[in-house]
Amino acid sequence: QQQVKQSPQSLIVQKGGISIINCAYENTAFDYFPWYQQFPGKGPALLIAIRPDVSEKKEGRFTISFNKSAKQFSLHIMDSQPGDSATYFCAANYGQNFVFGPGTRLSVLP
Amino acid sequence: DTGVSQDPRHKITKRGQNVTFRCDPISEHNRLYWYRQTLGQGPEFLTYFQNEAQLEKSRLLSDRFSAERPKGSFSTLEIQRTEQGDSAMYLCASSFSTGGEKLFFGSGTQLSVL
């Protein structure tokens, strides 16, 4: 129940395309769902986050879609750029309990 | 730079040796976390401090691991009698106690046990 599943494991997108990463969770106690971006040799950095009382949140080219009944959420990166090439982690949180997905390695081709 | 600082960035040690890592959180943050990350995986929770009190430890944190946060400022993570399976990136993160869901990570310490 503590697991967060994430897919795909890796993703290759052309510049200007849409990148979509999906996550699923089991524990309904989770009440905060962040996405982190990690570049090689760096720690994860918070990208965008959502709470389960909304179905969508958009910040610039990044959008989270949240489906509470299905216990799924996804990250959409519009107009993907080579600089977006990184590993993306979804996570789920309640209290001080943060559970991270295994990550998706995104490569955006120029 | 006022971000989370970790030292050293890289550590190579021989099996059986002791190692210690340091984390300096963002100064206003009173929560501090240690995570471990292996290649191709997300960060795994190790332990958490609220000020100087260590409030939670993962089952991943064996008796060989100890963490401290004296005076609620910087923190150290010590691994005694290192094993090859301890090879990983050790990440420190900090947050406010209010709105504490926003974790700010350091760049990590990459440990290689030979």
Side-chain angles (χ1 to χ4, degrees):
Chain A
Q1 273 215 330
Q2 290 292 72
Q3 201 176 16
V4 175
K5 297 179 180 178
Q6 183 172 347
S7 63
Q9 189 174 21
S10 62
L11 180 62
I12 299 174
V13 173
Q14 291 287 338
K15 178 181 176 181
I18 302 173
S19 304
I20 301 174
I21 305 171
N22 301 298
C23 283
Y25 63 98
E26 289 294 326
N27 190 344
T28 55
F30 290 134
D31 61 3
Y32 180 75
F33 300 89
W35 285 89
Y36 283 82
Q37 179 189 56
Q38 186 175 29
F39 293 103
K42 298 291 187 181
L46 180 63
L47 191 61
I48 186 173
I50 197 168
R51 293 195 185 277
D53 53 346
V54 296
S55 60
E56 186 175 282
K57 183 174 182 179
K58 182 176 181 179
E59 290 183 0
R61 296 185 294 109
F62 301 92
T63 299
I64 300 178
S65 297
F66 188 86
N67 186 329
K68 187 174 181 179
S69 60
K71 291 185 282 188
Q72 296 175 347
F73 58 111
S74 60
L75 176 69
H76 297 233
I77 305 174
M78 311 299 288
D79 186 27
S80 299
Q81 299 296 311
D84 296 330
S85 297
T87 300
Y88 292 81
F89 296 96
C90 62
N93 160 260
Y94 71 89
Q96 296 314 307
N97 184 15
F98 290 85
V99 181
F100 287 82
T104 296
R105 178 173 286 186
L106 172 65
S107 298
V108 181
L109 304 179
Chain B
D1 181 40
T2 58
V4 178
S5 177
Q6 292 189 246
D7 184 71
R9 291 295 313 277
H10 304 274
K11 179 70 176 179
I12 300 174
T13 191
K14 292 183 178 179
R15 188 177 56 184
Q17 296 295 304
N18 298 343
V19 294
T20 300
F21 312 139
R22 177 180 171 123
C23 171
D24 287 272
I26 294 172
S27 57
E28 302 86 14
H29 289 176
N30 53 7
R31 291 182 175 172
L32 186 147
Y33 305 78
W34 285 99
Y35 284 83
R36 181 170 68 188
Q37 185 178 25
T38 53
L39 198 62
Q41 297 298 317
E44 294 177 297
F45 171 78
L46 292 178
T47 191
Y48 148 68
F49 290 85
Q50 170 96 9
N51 299 313
E52 68 274 11
Q54 187 174 18
L55 297 185
E56 191 172 342
K57 291 192 290 186
S58 165
R59 287 173 295 173
L60 293 174
L61 212 65
S62 76
D63 292 344
R64 297 184 297 105
F65 287 70
S66 63
E68 295 182 341
R69 193 183 181 196
K71 303 179 182 178
S73 55
F74 71 92
S75 176
T76 58
L77 178 68
E78 180 183 16
I79 309 174
Q80 296 181 329
R81 305 181 303 281
T82 52
E83 301 173 356
Q84 287 185 322
D86 297 331
S87 295
M89 172 79 83
Y90 289 84
L91 292 164
C92 177
S94 68
S95 73
F96 288 108
S97 56
T98 303
E101 306 95 348
K102 295 183 181 179
L103 295 183
F104 294 81
F105 283 89
S107 293
T109 294
Q110 181 65 53
L111 173 66
S112 298
V113 182
L114 305 179

